[in-house]
Amino acid sequence: MEINANNTQLKSWIEVNEGSDFPIQNLPFGIISTDKKPKRVASRIGNSVIDLSALSDLGYFGELDTVHLFDQENLNPFIEKGKAFTRAIRNRLSGIFLEGNNELRKKENDLHKVIIPIDRIETHLPVQIGDYTDFYSSIEHATNVGTMFRDPDNALLPNWKYIPVGYHGRASSIINSGVAIHRPKGQQKPTDGAPVFGPCKRLDFELETAFITYPGKELGDHISPDEANHYIFGMVLFNDWSARDIQKWEYVPLGPFLAKNFASSISPWIVTLDALEPFRVSGPTQDPEVFSYLKYQGDKNIDINLEVLIQPENGVATTVSKSNYKHMYWNMDQQLAHHTINGCNIKAGDMYGSGTISGPTPDSYGSMLEISWNATKPVKLSDGSERTFINDGDTVIMRGFAEKNGVRVGFGEVSTKVLPSK
Amino acid sequence: MEINANNTQLKSWIEVNEGSDFPIQNLPFGIISTDKKPKRVASRIGNSVIDLSALSDLGYFGELDTVHLFDQENLNPFIEKGKAFTRAIRNRLSGIFLEGNNELRKKENDLHKVIIPIDRIETHLPVQIGDYTDFYSSIEHATNVGTMFRDPDNALLPNWKYIPVGYHGRASSIINSGVAIHRPKGQQKPTDGAPVFGPCKRLDFELETAFITYPGKELGDHISPDEANHYIFGMVLFNDWSARDIQKWEYVPLGPFLAKNFASSISPWIVTLDALEPFRVSGPTQDPEVFSYLKYQGDKNIDINLEVLIQPENGVATTVSKSNYKHMYWNMDQQLAHHTINGCNIKAGDMYGSGTISGPTPDSYGSMLEISWNATKPVKLSDGSERTFINDGDTVIMRGFAEKNGVRVGFGEVSTKVLPSK
């Protein structure tokens, strides 16, 4: 079924600009509102937003039971229905908007209710996140951090190649693209001297993606890598904001806490895993061999181009990193298999961050900590100013897309402005 | 107002056995169901359960707007209303059930609908937990762990007396008392040799309490210790199950993950902070002086007697620890102030664990890790068997109560049976 909606030959009767992240092969899901109507579920083709609650009210989903599924403040009730259902909805959307299908196109009254120009809507956090976990699955990132702070000759900790290391994060402070954040305050410990308190001096982004799950199994059961795909709804871009100086002082022995939980920003449109299947690529060789509960078959990485830009207040954005999700050592299926091997249950709307996605070269590192190599190599922006970390007034923008055979499926962006400490 | 409901002289016309945790001075909140009626909000006096949805339907809350507040699957909508409201409900309950008040007592038809014997109800998880944080705030526990695994002469890490150390945990796997758990599987690393995979061999409990919050402030704002009381709804007993061998191998550098997230068990009745106010005691001197955002005034610890028992399959329970919540180095108000100082937001129904509550003597340690001193001192149970950690078939029971001036306000218990790995 999904092959159909991903067919590279498909064209929509809705206009799609060249270079758009949202051709008919994407059909992501999000939450929108307009002046006239409160939050509801939507999709998008090009710069046209598709109001799914209107489509449902007008009867376009036929046999698919969408009553009160799309006039919701978040996607959770939709995601609760599972993969077969969300896939059927995406396939149906693909049909409705396919060039040559006039069932909606020729109905002026319906069209007016269903399609809204992108500049007339506001997006909102697409899911109510029950639990949020962050992994640490880029070998380049883990190696860079280990090299800077521990031992260049033993940069990776002994467990790293056995375990897709992860930790729990804060769900309440995950925010939508466009929501500004305040520089966090907290304790920091100068190398020589007593701890001090004040605004963080080393505010950093982390370039990540995150996946969102369907309902899982009962507490006590686990999900194998082969089953994992069935439990993953889609992905977003994820900026896991980090206060490096707060982190350094607080994180032993129980991990990062206030250094992370002040905010994490996501892109508003959840791109389904179905839409990303055509962009699968093979992952790295894993040596030593992983435990059998982590073994997988087939191509499980995804070729997603990623970019980070810093835009100073009233200035122009400068690209500071270009990375790719294909570099990940541990893939999503392994992450989910590991997360559940002890019987931990997952729920619809949970979010799972990849960990910082660094590539092999300095221009592909996924954090300022790595790009500026622990503040020893400042980065020059196009306005001539320099950055080792993020300044007040800066906006950090992340973009991502997959492209193959003339089709580009992307995420749009996650953009967040940093305001001074309150 | 709350002084009234806590008055030690109050008596209810409902019978309360001596030694009960639930006199009229308690009036906790929970979720119950019966054969005839699905989940709804309830309170409890002695062994009589009070159906608040029935009280509401019958009009007993008068001006207090309780429409659809108590015919709910969890307490979240009730907690959303804030402290003034939940306090007013508790005060009203105190009035209805006070000796001498016959407004309900003499109405046979109403009585029948409102009061249910404890053996005819089932309790359920009382809140939908949005985020769960666990602290590490007992100096005795942190010192014991540091002595065993690091350096007896520098048992506490440098940050411990500056920061109420905490980390994020998994909300989805928090379960009600009575729900059995399966021994988790996972990777373990023998001291000499490669990592292995299998059922955890060092399954442990952690004796904790947890507090549940009201809605907080906006993202970016913080809550001071003086304000914290206003944001805390109540407390439960909390067994933070831990797999010590999984923890040891996985926890560097990002903290415990699969060693904890397979299950945490709570007692079903949330005892309000209002009901616990009479049992406040002073906390320890904090030296070095804490940062001003952590400074508090008045008595902020609470004298709560705690007990842990192990009951082997088909056997009799043996007490293995008696501790007290009054030993905590960091109090709840400081924990909440620290958690929000960076702008992290809190929500209604969030849960915050105290960390293992160990007292100063070996018979008051809050985990088997400490009681058996890293498996070097087995504990003898009354059936003659020995334990260093928890066996399959064992039930771990935690109880807790505060007592003063002839009034005992308690939590009942959290009881969890351990089943073999699936």
Side-chain angles (χ1 to χ4, degrees):
Chain A
M1 299 268 285
E2 75 274 21
I3 298 302
N4 183 31
N6 290 342
N7 188 316
T8 57
Q9 301 305 311
L10 302 185
K11 278 202 181 345
S12 175
W13 48 264
I14 294 180
E15 195 191 330
V16 178
N17 294 333
E18 207 180 307
S20 170
D21 284 346
F22 304 100
I24 193 170
Q25 288 84 357
N26 191 340
L27 296 169
F29 295 95
I31 296 291
I32 62 154
S33 68
T34 48
D35 284 352
K36 291 175 193 157
K37 213 173 143 186
K39 292 182 188 173
R40 69 265 196 195
V41 176
S43 185
R44 177 176 175 179
I45 295 178
N47 287 327
S48 299
V49 171
I50 301 159
D51 183 334
L52 298 200
S53 70
L55 270 181
S56 174
D57 291 347
L58 294 165
Y60 282 91
F61 291 113
E63 300 289 293
L64 294 163
D65 182 8
T66 57
V67 177
H68 290 310
L69 205 57
F70 296 136
D71 51 349
Q72 296 281 346
E73 298 207 334
N74 54 61
L75 291 169
N76 295 50
F78 175 54
I79 300 173
E80 286 279 355
K81 304 272 267 181
K83 191 153 202 161
F85 187 88
T86 63
R87 181 178 286 173
I89 294 292
R90 178 166 170 268
N91 287 340
R92 175 66 183 133
L93 291 174
S94 179
I96 296 171
F97 294 97
L98 198 61
E99 203 169 53
N101 183 344
N102 290 329
E103 60 178 315
L104 170 65
R105 188 179 192 183
K106 299 292 185 188
K107 297 221 179 82
E108 278 297 328
N109 275 344
D110 290 4
L111 262 187
H112 183 72
K113 289 174 189 157
V114 170
I115 296 181
I116 314 164
I118 192 81
D119 55 11
R120 283 189 29 221
I121 64 112
E122 218 180 313
T123 61
H124 302 274
L125 197 69
V127 274
Q128 183 184 329
I129 302 158
D131 272 298
Y132 151 53
T133 292
D134 198 28
F135 287 95
Y136 185 58
S137 291
S138 153
I139 196 164
E140 288 82 3
H141 173 65
T143 303
N144 286 341
V145 172
T147 300
M148 271 185 267
F149 295 115
R150 283 184 298 267
D151 175 5
D153 296 327
N154 290 288
L156 286 182
L157 287 164
N159 60 10
W160 201 90
K161 286 189 167 183
Y162 290 91
I163 291 175
V165 171
Y167 66 109
H168 297 294
R170 183 82 185 174
S172 71
S173 53
I174 297 178
I175 52 178
N176 192 26
S177 176
V179 177
I181 64 166
H182 290 271
R183 178 175 297 269
K185 290 183 284 192
Q187 295 187 31
Q188 304 131 40
K189 170 90 169 55
T191 314
D192 43 1
V196 297
F197 174 79
C200 138
K201 295 175 195 72
R202 296 187 145 207
L203 181 63
D204 202 355
F205 59 78
E206 288 192 336
L207 171 63
E208 302 193 19
T209 60
F211 67 87
I212 292 107
T213 50
Y214 290 108
K217 298 183 178 181
E218 292 293 303
L219 189 68
D221 290 333
H222 76 274
I223 294 169
S224 71
D226 287 347
E227 296 170 315
N229 188 285
H230 184 69
Y231 293 95
I232 301 175
F233 171 60
M235 294 177 71
V236 291
L237 300 173
F238 191 75
N239 181 352
D240 188 23
W241 290 100
S242 298
R244 301 296 178 194
D245 39 5
I246 295 174
Q247 185 172 350
K248 194 177 171 193
W249 172 230
E250 76 170 359
Y251 91 105
V252 176
L254 299 177
F257 184 54
L258 297 192
K260 299 280 190 173
N261 66 14
F262 58 94
S264 310
S265 306
I266 67 170
S267 54
W269 298 100
I270 303 180
V271 177
T272 64
L273 201 57
D274 280 348
L276 292 165
E277 291 297 343
F279 309 98
R280 294 279 191 186
V281 292
S282 65
T285 303
Q286 296 183 323
D287 179 27
E289 195 181 359
V290 300
F291 282 105
S292 62
Y293 79 89
L294 292 170
K295 286 186 180 152
Y296 67 95
Q297 300 188 315
D299 290 346
K300 288 299 174 183
N301 280 35
I302 309 181
D303 184 353
I304 302 174
N305 300 288
L306 299 165
E307 181 181 18
V308 188
L309 305 95
I310 299 176
Q311 179 175 12
E313 186 120 49
N314 306 316
V316 177
T318 303
T319 299
V320 296
S321 175
K322 286 195 173 191
S323 186
N324 195 305
Y325 184 59
K326 72 182 176 191
H327 296 308
M328 302 306 285
Y329 188 85
W330 298 102
N331 61 54
M332 286 184 280
D333 294 3
Q334 292 182 306
Q335 289 169 339
L336 200 54
H338 182 66
H339 204 312
T340 59
I341 189 60
N342 67 344
C344 182
N345 54 341
I346 63 163
K347 294 190 173 178
D350 289 347
M351 199 167 280
Y352 302 82
S354 59
T356 307
I357 304 168
S358 290
T361 55
D363 59 352
S364 63
Y365 292 167
S367 66
M368 288 304 290
L369 178 70
E370 296 163 86
I371 295 169
S372 78
W373 206 254
N374 198 21
T376 61
K377 297 179 181 171
V379 174
K380 199 159 243 177
L381 303 187
S382 60
D383 66 357
S385 67
E386 289 188 337
R387 294 289 181 283
T388 50
F389 289 97
I390 302 302
N391 288 358
D392 289 348
D394 286 352
T395 298
V396 173
I397 302 160
M398 295 177 179
R399 296 182 184 142
F401 65 93
E403 192 160 29
K404 191 178 174 183
N405 299 329
V407 173
R408 170 175 167 140
V409 168
F411 294 84
E413 65 180 33
V414 51
S415 168
T416 315
K417 185 170 181 178
V418 174
L419 304 176
S421 280
K422 268 199 186 176
Chain B
M1 298 268 284
E2 74 274 22
I3 299 301
N4 183 33
N6 291 341
N7 189 316
T8 57
Q9 301 305 310
L10 302 185
K11 278 202 180 348
S12 176
W13 48 264
I14 295 180
E15 197 191 332
V16 178
N17 294 333
E18 207 180 308
S20 169
D21 283 348
F22 303 100
I24 193 169
Q25 287 84 357
N26 191 340
L27 295 170
F29 295 95
I31 296 291
I32 62 154
S33 67
T34 48
D35 285 351
K36 291 174 195 159
K37 213 173 143 187
K39 291 182 187 175
R40 69 265 197 193
V41 175
S43 186
R44 176 175 175 178
I45 294 178
N47 287 328
S48 299
V49 170
I50 301 159
D51 183 334
L52 298 201
S53 70
L55 270 181
S56 174
D57 290 347
L58 294 165
Y60 281 91
F61 292 113
E63 300 289 293
L64 294 164
D65 181 9
T66 57
V67 176
H68 290 309
L69 205 58
F70 296 136
D71 52 351
Q72 295 280 347
E73 298 207 334
N74 55 60
L75 290 168
N76 295 50
F78 175 54
I79 300 172
E80 286 280 356
K81 304 272 268 182
K83 191 153 200 158
F85 187 87
T86 63
R87 181 178 285 173
I89 293 292
R90 179 166 169 267
N91 287 340
R92 175 66 183 133
L93 290 175
S94 180
I96 295 171
F97 294 97
L98 198 62
E99 204 170 52
N101 183 344
N102 290 329
E103 60 178 315
L104 170 65
R105 187 180 193 181
K106 299 293 184 190
K107 297 221 179 80
E108 277 298 327
N109 273 345
D110 289 4
L111 261 187
H112 183 72
K113 289 173 188 156
V114 171
I115 295 180
I116 314 165
I118 191 82
D119 54 11
R120 282 188 31 219
I121 64 111
E122 216 181 314
T123 61
H124 302 273
L125 197 70
V127 275
Q128 184 184 330
I129 302 157
D131 271 297
Y132 151 53
T133 292
D134 198 28
F135 287 95
Y136 185 57
S137 291
S138 153
I139 195 165
E140 288 82 3
H141 172 66
T143 303
N144 287 339
V145 172
T147 300
M148 271 184 267
F149 295 114
R150 283 184 299 266
D151 174 5
D153 296 327
N154 290 288
L156 286 183
L157 287 164
N159 60 10
W160 201 90
K161 286 189 168 183
Y162 290 91
I163 292 176
V165 171
Y167 67 108
H168 297 294
R170 184 82 186 175
S172 70
S173 53
I174 297 179
I175 52 177
N176 191 26
S177 176
V179 177
I181 64 166
H182 289 272
R183 178 176 297 270
K185 289 182 285 192
Q187 294 187 32
Q188 304 131 39
K189 170 90 168 55
T191 315
D192 43 0
V196 296
F197 174 78
C200 138
K201 294 176 195 72
R202 296 186 145 208
L203 180 64
D204 202 355
F205 59 79
E206 288 193 336
L207 170 64
E208 302 194 19
T209 60
F211 67 88
I212 293 106
T213 49
Y214 289 109
K217 298 183 178 180
E218 292 293 303
L219 189 68
D221 289 334
H222 75 273
I223 294 169
S224 71
D226 287 347
E227 296 170 315
N229 187 284
H230 184 68
Y231 293 95
I232 300 175
F233 171 60
M235 294 177 71
V236 290
L237 300 174
F238 191 74
N239 181 352
D240 188 22
W241 291 100
S242 298
R244 299 298 178 194
D245 38 6
I246 295 174
Q247 185 172 350
K248 194 177 172 194
W249 172 229
E250 75 169 359
Y251 90 106
V252 175
L254 298 177
F257 185 53
L258 297 192
K260 299 279 191 174
N261 67 13
F262 57 95
S264 310
S265 306
I266 67 169
S267 54
W269 298 100
I270 302 180
V271 178
T272 65
L273 201 58
D274 280 348
L276 292 165
E277 291 297 343
F279 308 98
R280 293 279 191 186
V281 292
S282 65
T285 303
Q286 296 182 322
D287 179 26
E289 195 180 359
V290 299
F291 282 105
S292 63
Y293 79 88
L294 293 170
K295 285 186 180 154
Y296 66 96
Q297 299 188 316
D299 290 345
K300 287 299 173 182
N301 281 34
I302 309 182
D303 183 352
I304 301 174
N305 301 288
L306 299 166
E307 181 181 17
V308 187
L309 304 95
I310 299 176
Q311 180 175 12
E313 186 121 50
N314 306 316
V316 176
T318 303
T319 298
V320 296
S321 176
K322 286 194 173 193
S323 186
N324 196 304
Y325 184 60
K326 72 182 176 190
H327 297 307
M328 302 306 285
Y329 188 85
W330 298 101
N331 62 54
M332 287 184 279
D333 294 4
Q334 292 182 307
Q335 289 169 339
L336 200 54
H338 182 66
H339 205 313
T340 59
I341 188 60
N342 67 344
C344 182
N345 56 340
I346 63 163
K347 293 190 173 178
D350 288 349
M351 198 166 282
Y352 302 82
S354 58
T356 307
I357 304 168
S358 290
T361 54
D363 58 352
S364 64
Y365 292 166
S367 65
M368 288 303 289
L369 178 71
E370 295 163 86
I371 294 169
S372 77
W373 205 254
N374 198 20
T376 60
K377 296 179 182 172
V379 174
K380 198 159 243 178
L381 304 188
S382 60
D383 67 356
S385 66
E386 289 188 338
R387 294 288 182 282
T388 50
F389 288 98
I390 303 301
N391 289 357
D392 289 348
D394 286 352
T395 297
V396 173
I397 302 160
M398 295 177 178
R399 296 180 184 142
F401 65 92
E403 192 159 28
K404 192 178 173 184
N405 299 329
V407 173
R408 170 175 166 140
V409 168
F411 294 83
E413 66 181 32
V414 51
S415 168
T416 315
K417 185 170 180 176
V418 175
L419 305 176
S421 280
K422 268 198 187 179

